Each structure stands twice: as structure tokens, then as C-alpha cells.
Amino acid sequence: MKKNAVSTITVGLIQMACSPKPEQNLKQAIESIRAASEKGAQIICLPELFLTPYFCQTEDTQNFALAETLSGPTSETLSKLAQELEVVLIVPLFEKRAPGIYHNTALVIDADGSIAGCYRKMHIPDDPCFFEKYYFTPGDTGFKSFPTRYGRVGVLICWDQWFPEAARLTTLSGAQFLFYPTAIGYQDEDTNVSQQQISAWETIQKSHAISNGIFLGSVNRVGRENALNFWGRSFICNPFGNTIGQAENEPQIVIAQCHLPEIETVRQNWPFLRDRRVDAYQGLTKLYLDDDE
Amino acid sequence: MKKNAVSTITVGLIQMACSPKPEQNLKQAIESIRAASEKGAQIICLPELFLTPYFCQTEDTQNFALAETLSGPTSETLSKLAQELEVVLIVPLFEKRAPGIYHNTALVIDADGSIAGCYRKMHIPDDPCFFEKYYFTPGDTGFKSFPTRYGRVGVLICWDQWFPEAARLTTLSGAQFLFYPTAIGYQDEDTNVSQQQISAWETIQKSHAISNGIFLGSVNRVGRENALNFWGRSFICNPFGNTIGQAENEPQIVIAQCHLPEIETVRQNWPFLRDRRVDAYQGLTKLYLDDDE
């Protein structure tokens, strides 16, 4: 039985390719979770919408059939697995909340199999090949974190990663870990452009770890699906933004040990949270400040 | 006479070592501004507190004698220079506002020599060797940008660079350029630690360029002053976070051309500003969200 290690927590990221068959993806996820657990992982995160291909490349009502309710078969199966292995799982789902209301969601399942929390993707992209505004109602959960056996876990999803507001609010809610289940790839075969995109993607997320003093794991899928080449490169970084585990662009489990006291050490040494000018941040709740001219 | 080039603006950063003598530093700054202008620079930025050594390593009332008023000799001299060379200047000053109220300030001088605006450092650090809370009253300007002949210029100063809120608000005010006059160095002679600090410093600032789609220039000083080794590495990056000019750790002028239409191109391709959840950001005006439990 796994002890609740108070100071060092092992995190596992499941970077996987997603086949057209949900049952096959679930099987692959379960096998990978077992493998990660055997390697000592205590908190394990799956990629965004891991059960399906990235269906948002087209707008098609038939894809809504891929959605399931939060208390559906996937969460039931993975709750049992979490309980058996005594691991915390972050489980992204295409959530059917009500007829006509679907979300891009992630469940946090605690190590006893109970649901620790649910996050619904707040920032929804819409670009060619990423037609998410068609499928997903923007979330109404706000930015939260959830206490689990192995620490306080915050989850944001993919496009959220470009918004420092989301990382900040999740941190201020007390998160020690911030996970980004992701499905990001390039269409452009220009290696220079795709390398710049990958670099920007790593930079923005590491910046959240740095400015907030938090452990951060980003979990991408891999493989080509129609027009998109998902670039993998899943990584874990410490509260100083240093990479402590990273995958290449093939199916891979990333494991890293997170020494939790680093959070406070980093925040004491570079005390950004001490000095926020909350008296001067009201404008952040506006889209643009053209009225202030 | 310099034309107002509407689409491409040349930026110059003056990375310099600062001697104990203010008059010598001003002379050096003037020579460097002339040199940058000869290389085509239209907007030129000096480092934080460039007139003096970084006096905040100790707390000493005698250092307040280094402060001057905004309409003092330095701004007069540099306003004339800006007018002569038809350049926009960002001029950091230790501002004496009133007896007992001193700020860490930057003036933006327009290309006709007029004052385009003034920013007072909002986030004030206080760490061993950076005792700024002793000297500087936190700014009351808020986060702004100022129209100039060569574009809309926002200025933040050093410690501000760790706060994504500051970069966001400056962007939302309409800035096309974001400058960070800076005085940052390491005390630790452990190369590994100092390299991590430099890396975090570059990452956080590039992340602001990326998340906001803005040109960004960061201007540091160089050289050892008492316990601090100022690491230079001044750089300019484009709205995608790519470095388009960078110095090493010696006195150097960094010149880069900024093609302004890139701002809109980048923001159209990765449209983060479109999707901010301003309905859910109220918590950003709080220090911590422990009351929301």
C-alpha cells in the first residue's frame, strides 16, 4: 500500500496516440496508468479528450455521440482503477451535461476512487482544424484546485495554457500542482514555424510555473490525425520552470519526482506572490481598455 | 530627417555598465543614444536607474541625494537630445516627487522632445541586495502606454517583469512595444543557479510577448557592483516570443527591426485576446483565495 509521502510526490504523464476506437484508447490508458503506477507515480494525468481522435477538426453533429456524462462508464472504470492502485487520476472527458450542453472537462479522481473535483475548460479555441467553439460550451467552474491524498491539484485544459490569468487564479486557490491535458499539433510542414510553435508552447507554460511557484505538468497526444501532427513533448517542470521530465514525440510515460517544499523555498527566494498590486488589477476584468483613454 | 516609418520601427537597447559618477553615466548614455540613432534606432531604451550604481544594495539615507525631479536636468538634457535626433527615449530615473516620496520611474520622451508619459514602478522588490522597498514608494500610475511618433510605448520596470498582470494591462491599454528597463544580477557564484535565474528571466518576459502578441525589449546593466553581478543579456523579441536581437554580458547596443503588422498577424493566428474569460477573473484582484473555500 502506498504511503502518503508528504514531501516528495511522483507524477506520471501519459503521452499517447489516440485511435479511432474509444474502447482501444481506454484500454491503452489503463495499461499506461498501471505502468506509471508501477514506476511509482502517485498522480497520473491523461491527455485532453484521450478517448477519441481529435474530432474538432470538423464540425459534425455525429461527433456529439462521443460525449458521455461525468458519472458515465469511463469515470466508473477509472475510479475503480484509482482505488485499486491508490493513485490520483486526472481524466479528461468530452462531457455530456445536458442535451445541447457539452463541455471539454477533466475529472480529478482521488486515490480512494472518489471524485475530488471537476474542471470544465474555460477558454475555448476556434481556429482552422480546432473548431472547439462548435462543440464545447465554455466552462462555468471557474479556476479551482482540489485536495487529494497527494496534494492539491489544479487542472486547466490546452488553450487555457495561453492565459496567465488561469494559472494565477488556480495557484491562488492553493494548487501545488497544475496539470494541462492538451491536444496541440501543427499543420504547417515548415519545420521552422512548427519549432517556433513548440517553443512558444513550452515557454508560456514554464512561465506559469515561474510566476506562480508551482509544479506543472503538460500532457499532449502524439501522432498524425488528418491535418494535424500532434507534437507530444509532454513535460513536467518545477516551481522555478526547470524541466524535470520530458517526452519526445512518441507514446511515452513521463515520470518525475516533485519535492513539495520547493514550492515554498522558491516563493521565499523570489517572492512574487508577496508583491502583487491587487489594488491596480481591476482592468483585468475588461476585454480592452479603450474606454480609459 | 527621419520619416515616420509606419510599418517597421527600429528599436535600440543601451546595455551599459554604470560607474559611481552620474555625470559619467549620463555622458555614456548620450554617446550610446547617438550611436544607436546612427544605426537607425527610432525608439531607444536605457537601463533602470542608469545614472547611478545600483545603490539599493544597502539602506542609506545619503542615497536619496541621488534622486531628481522629473523636470530636472536629466530629462531636460535628454529631451533636447530626443528632439535633435528625432528619437523616442525611455529614460529611467530615481524620481524625487516630494520630500519623503521617491519613485523608481521611467519617462517616455517623444521624438519632438516632449514628455509622452511617465511610469512609476508598481511592483517593488525587497530581497537581500535589492532593498528597494526602503527607497521607492510603489507607483500610482497604474499600467499604461503612451502614443509616440513611432508607435504606442508601454514601460514596466525590472521586478514588474515577473507579474503577467502588468504586461497584460499594459497591452490592453494599446501598447505595441513593451520595454523593461532592468537591473538584475546574481549573487550566487554557482553557475548552475545563475544560469537557471537567467533562463527564468528570459522565459517570463518572452511569455509576456507571446500571451499578449507584443514587441518586447528588456534592457539590463552589466558589470559587478559590490555583491551583484549584473548579467546583461538584454534582448528584443517579436510578438511570437522569438528573439530578434540579444546582447551578451558586456556593454553593447542591441538593435532590432520591429515589423508592426506582425502584432495583428500573430493575434489573428493565435487569438488569445479574443478568448479571455473576463467574467471569471475577479479573483485576480485578491491576494489569495482562501476565503473562497
Side-chain angles (χ1 to χ4, degrees):
Chain A
M1 172 176 169
K2 284 184 187 172
K3 289 265 176 77
N4 179 357
V6 284
S7 68
T8 298
I9 298 295
T10 304
V11 166
L13 310 181
I14 310 297
Q15 177 171 293
M16 57 188 274
C18 300
S19 85
K21 296 183 179 174
E23 65 277 13
Q24 187 175 323
N25 295 321
L26 182 59
K27 184 167 171 286
Q28 176 62 51
I30 291 170
E31 288 172 5
S32 300
I33 290 166
R34 287 190 182 281
S37 171
E38 276 171 25
K39 292 179 180 177
Q42 295 162 296
I43 306 178
I44 300 171
C45 185
L46 293 161
E48 183 183 18
L49 300 169
F50 75 99
L51 281 175
T52 61
Y54 185 70
F55 54 83
C56 311
Q57 293 192 50
T58 58
E59 299 194 354
D60 185 343
T61 53
Q62 294 200 3
N63 285 329
F64 289 108
L66 298 169
E68 64 176 285
T69 56
L70 285 187
S71 54
T74 304
S75 67
E76 271 183 40
T77 301
L78 292 177
S79 285
K80 283 178 191 160
L81 187 66
Q83 186 177 28
E84 177 198 332
L85 301 176
E86 298 194 54
V87 295
V88 170
L89 294 179
I90 291 118
V91 179
L93 284 175
F94 180 17
E95 177 193 357
K96 178 174 182 168
R97 188 176 183 182
I101 303 183
Y102 306 85
H103 293 288
N104 188 330
T105 300
L107 280 176
V108 179
I109 304 176
D110 207 349
D112 63 359
S114 66
I115 304 298
C118 153
Y119 170 75
R120 294 183 174 119
K121 188 173 182 173
M122 293 285 286
H123 300 96
I124 307 293
D126 199 282
D127 305 297
C129 295
F130 293 88
F131 298 116
E132 294 198 19
K133 287 192 195 294
Y134 175 74
Y135 291 104
F136 308 125
T137 298
D140 60 350
T141 51
F143 306 98
K144 292 179 178 173
S145 57
F146 312 105
T148 73
R149 187 182 298 180
Y150 304 120
R152 199 163 172 106
V153 171
V155 185
L156 296 167
I157 300 176
C158 203
W159 192 240
D160 289 323
Q161 63 211 179
W162 302 100
F163 298 84
E165 293 92 341
R168 179 71 93 203
L169 286 165
T170 306
T171 301
L172 296 182
S173 81
Q176 296 167 292
F177 300 93
L178 180 50
F179 289 96
Y180 285 96
T182 295
I184 192 166
Y186 51 84
Q187 306 168 64
D188 205 317
E189 293 305 327
D190 180 331
T191 307
N192 189 34
V193 170
S194 57
Q195 282 306 315
Q196 286 180 15
Q197 290 180 340
I198 293 171
S199 173
W201 177 78
E202 290 185 4
T203 296
I204 195 75
Q205 290 172 100
K206 287 183 179 183
S207 81
H208 303 325
I210 294 166
S211 59
N212 292 296
I214 192 170
F215 285 96
L216 186 149
S218 182
V219 198
N220 196 11
R221 66 173 66 194
V222 292
R224 173 171 279 283
E225 298 179 21
N226 300 318
L228 290 174
N229 230 320
F230 294 97
W231 66 55
R233 304 283 300 163
S234 303
F235 69 94
I236 304 170
C237 69
N238 70 13
F240 209 65
N242 294 317
T243 305
I244 55 175
Q246 182 151 31
E248 295 299 327
N249 63 345
E250 54 192 27
Q252 195 173 334
I253 298 171
V254 183
I255 301 280
Q257 296 205 324
C258 301
H259 187 56
L260 296 185
E262 282 180 35
I263 294 172
E264 192 158 7
T265 305
V266 164
R267 291 183 188 176
Q268 287 175 355
N269 274 286
W270 283 11
F272 310 137
L273 294 186
R274 180 192 63 189
D275 289 335
R276 295 176 64 245
R277 286 295 302 271
V278 294
D279 60 311
Y281 292 165
Q282 300 90 336
L284 293 170
T285 62
K286 296 188 178 180
L287 284 176
Y288 203 59
L289 299 174
D290 38 6
D291 289 344
D292 293 5
E293 290 281 311
Chain B
M1 172 177 168
K2 283 184 185 170
K3 290 266 177 75
N4 179 356
V6 285
S7 67
T8 298
I9 298 297
T10 304
V11 166
L13 311 181
I14 310 297
Q15 177 171 292
M16 56 188 274
C18 300
S19 84
K21 296 184 180 172
E23 65 279 12
Q24 186 175 323
N25 295 321
L26 182 60
K27 183 166 173 285
Q28 177 61 53
I30 290 170
E31 288 172 7
S32 300
I33 289 167
R34 288 190 181 280
S37 172
E38 276 171 25
K39 292 179 180 178
Q42 295 162 296
I43 306 178
I44 300 171
C45 186
L46 294 162
E48 183 184 18
L49 300 169
F50 75 99
L51 281 176
T52 60
Y54 185 70
F55 55 82
C56 312
Q57 294 192 50
T58 59
E59 299 194 354
D60 184 343
T61 53
Q62 295 201 2
N63 285 328
F64 288 108
L66 298 168
E68 64 176 285
T69 57
L70 286 187
S71 54
T74 304
S75 68
E76 269 183 41
T77 301
L78 292 178
S79 284
K80 284 179 192 160
L81 186 65
Q83 185 178 28
E84 177 199 333
L85 302 176
E86 298 194 55
V87 295
V88 170
L89 294 179
I90 292 116
V91 179
L93 284 175
F94 180 18
E95 178 192 356
K96 177 174 182 168
R97 189 176 183 182
I101 303 183
Y102 305 84
H103 294 287
N104 189 329
T105 299
L107 280 177
V108 179
I109 303 176
D110 207 350
D112 64 359
S114 65
I115 303 299
C118 152
Y119 169 76
R120 295 184 173 116
K121 189 172 182 175
M122 293 285 286
H123 300 97
I124 307 293
D126 199 280
D127 304 297
C129 294
F130 293 89
F131 298 115
E132 294 198 18
K133 287 192 196 295
Y134 175 74
Y135 291 104
F136 309 124
T137 297
D140 59 351
T141 51
F143 306 98
K144 292 180 178 172
S145 57
F146 312 104
T148 73
R149 187 184 297 180
Y150 304 119
R152 200 164 171 105
V153 171
V155 184
L156 297 167
I157 301 176
C158 202
W159 191 240
D160 289 323
Q161 64 210 180
W162 302 100
F163 299 83
E165 293 91 343
R168 179 71 94 202
L169 286 165
T170 306
T171 300
L172 296 182
S173 81
Q176 296 167 293
F177 300 93
L178 181 49
F179 289 96
Y180 285 96
T182 294
I184 191 166
Y186 51 84
Q187 305 168 64
D188 205 318
E189 294 303 327
D190 179 332
T191 308
N192 188 34
V193 170
S194 56
Q195 281 307 313
Q196 286 179 16
Q197 291 180 341
I198 294 171
S199 174
W201 176 77
E202 291 185 3
T203 296
I204 195 72
Q205 290 174 102
K206 288 184 179 182
S207 82
H208 303 325
I210 294 166
S211 60
N212 292 296
I214 193 169
F215 285 96
L216 185 149
S218 182
V219 197
N220 196 11
R221 66 173 66 196
V222 292
R224 172 171 281 283
E225 298 178 20
N226 298 319
L228 290 174
N229 231 319
F230 295 97
W231 66 55
R233 304 284 299 163
S234 302
F235 69 93
I236 304 170
C237 70
N238 71 14
F240 208 66
N242 294 317
T243 305
I244 55 176
Q246 182 151 31
E248 296 299 326
N249 63 345
E250 55 193 26
Q252 196 173 333
I253 297 171
V254 182
I255 301 280
Q257 297 205 324
C258 301
H259 186 56
L260 295 185
E262 282 180 36
I263 293 171
E264 192 157 7
T265 305
V266 163
R267 291 184 188 177
Q268 286 174 355
N269 275 286
W270 282 11
F272 310 137
L273 294 186
R274 179 191 65 190
D275 290 335
R276 294 175 65 244
R277 287 295 303 271
V278 293
D279 60 310
Y281 292 165
Q282 300 90 337
L284 293 170
T285 60
K286 296 188 178 179
L287 283 176
Y288 203 60
L289 299 173
D290 38 5
D291 289 343
D292 294 6
E293 289 280 309

